[in-house]
Amino acid sequence: MKKPGIIWLNVSVFVITGLITVIGVPVYAFYHGFDGWQITAMVVGVFICEISITAGYHRLWTHRAYQAHWTVRLLLALGGTYATQNSILHWASDHRRHHRYVDDKDKDPYSAQRGFWHSHIGWMLRHYPATIDTEYSNCRDLKQDKIVMWQHKHYLPLVLALNFGIPIALGLWHGDLLGMLILAGAARLAISHHMTFLINSLAHVWGRQPYSDTNSSRDNGLIALLTMGEGYHNYHHNFQRDYRNGIRWWQFDPTKWLIRSLAWMGLATHLYRTPLEKIERSRAQMLLTKTSRKLAGLPHADLMILRLQTEYDILLKKINAFSQARRLWVEARKTVVQESYDLDALKEKASELRENFMQQKKDWQVLNARIA
Ligand SMILES: [Zn+2]
Ligand SMILES: [Zn+2]
């Protein structure tokens, strides 16, 4: 079968910025050197590019995980333009298809099933049918967003203005124009590109699958370090509307921290969090499946699976009891006649049941570890 035509503009951008980064940067560093200002301009630039994609393009626009004040949306749109990963509308359209058809070789634009190279960068180098939807039919909601449409309409001039304008302005101010163009211009772009691309490639092959293995997405703390928290990709594929990717306090998710800070300042609202019981049900189900698979074929497997199933059922019951109690408390808090409820008692009950299911969860995990 004939391969689709090459997209020369994309190939040129990736090749030129890539070559400058791996050859130009060390050569220039050897003969001329970079100073702290130039390195800072690059590091800050990478940070702005990455976080505008994760907090803006990804969690705000594609998944509508929260709502943001227009000033935040404008800044994220400009930061995302500086990152040069196509317009918000185009990016979101591709990404929504990625979630909908994940791992489908024909419909997922960056399907991991087509190999590492394709999911990382190859999918952008040719006119593959999965990446063409000029109507952006799955992004009707985003067409109502004036900032999204403004950025889409003026995308190319904006990209050129920011990608040349910022490094040139910084270079003129700093005094070493070429050095700034190499580091804050080209290297910043190439590094931030590949860090984002890792989410489509590496985060679909390397890591754990605590929530589901019905798709190839993985949780990987190391990838989270490089991608502003998006390495918890197995969680994300299962609970895509959540504004968080790393849900534990110790998981590195600066995108979540930024969104939470914006909310604290009153600049972000409606932060969506997946209910705890939903998350825990998925985890428990996945663990049951994994342990049962390991046991299959072993002597006395039936007995052990029965034991597992019993403990699993108890866990589910306890999770459901907590879920119900919490719902009661939340509903009571929302009513206008709050006085008719003992809110403290309802809250107390919910947290007691939470403790209860958490204890069962621990026992459940210990049992699985012992049996497996
Ligand atoms: Zn994915
Ligand atoms: Zn996503």
Side-chain angles (χ1 to χ4, degrees), residues 91-104:
W91 199 104
S93 177
D94 281 340
H95 193 68
R96 283 180 182 179
R97 249 171 298 131
H98 168 60
H99 275 270
R100 182 153 186 210
Y101 302 111
V102 62
D103 292 326
D104 186 306

Side-chain angles (χ1 to χ4, degrees), residues 24-36 38-39 174 176 178-180 183:
V25 170
V27 168
Y28 197 84
F30 184 77
Y31 287 107
H32 198 278
F34 295 108
D35 68 10
Q38 290 167 317
I39 295 167
H174 172 268
D176 175 12
L178 184 61
M180 199 61 100
L183 213 56

Side-chain angles (χ1 to χ4, degrees), residues 56-58 60-64 85-99 109-110 133 136 138-139 141-142 148:
Y57 275 46
H58 188 215
L60 173 69
W61 280 300
T62 304
H63 294 299
R64 310 186 65 96
Q85 296 188 17
N86 222 323
S87 71
I88 299 161
L89 192 63
H90 195 112
W91 199 104
S93 177
D94 281 340
H95 193 68
R96 283 180 182 179
R97 249 171 298 131
H98 168 60
H99 275 270
Y110 23 91
D133 176 8
Y136 306 110
N138 57 354
C139 292
D141 54 326
L142 298 184
V148 169

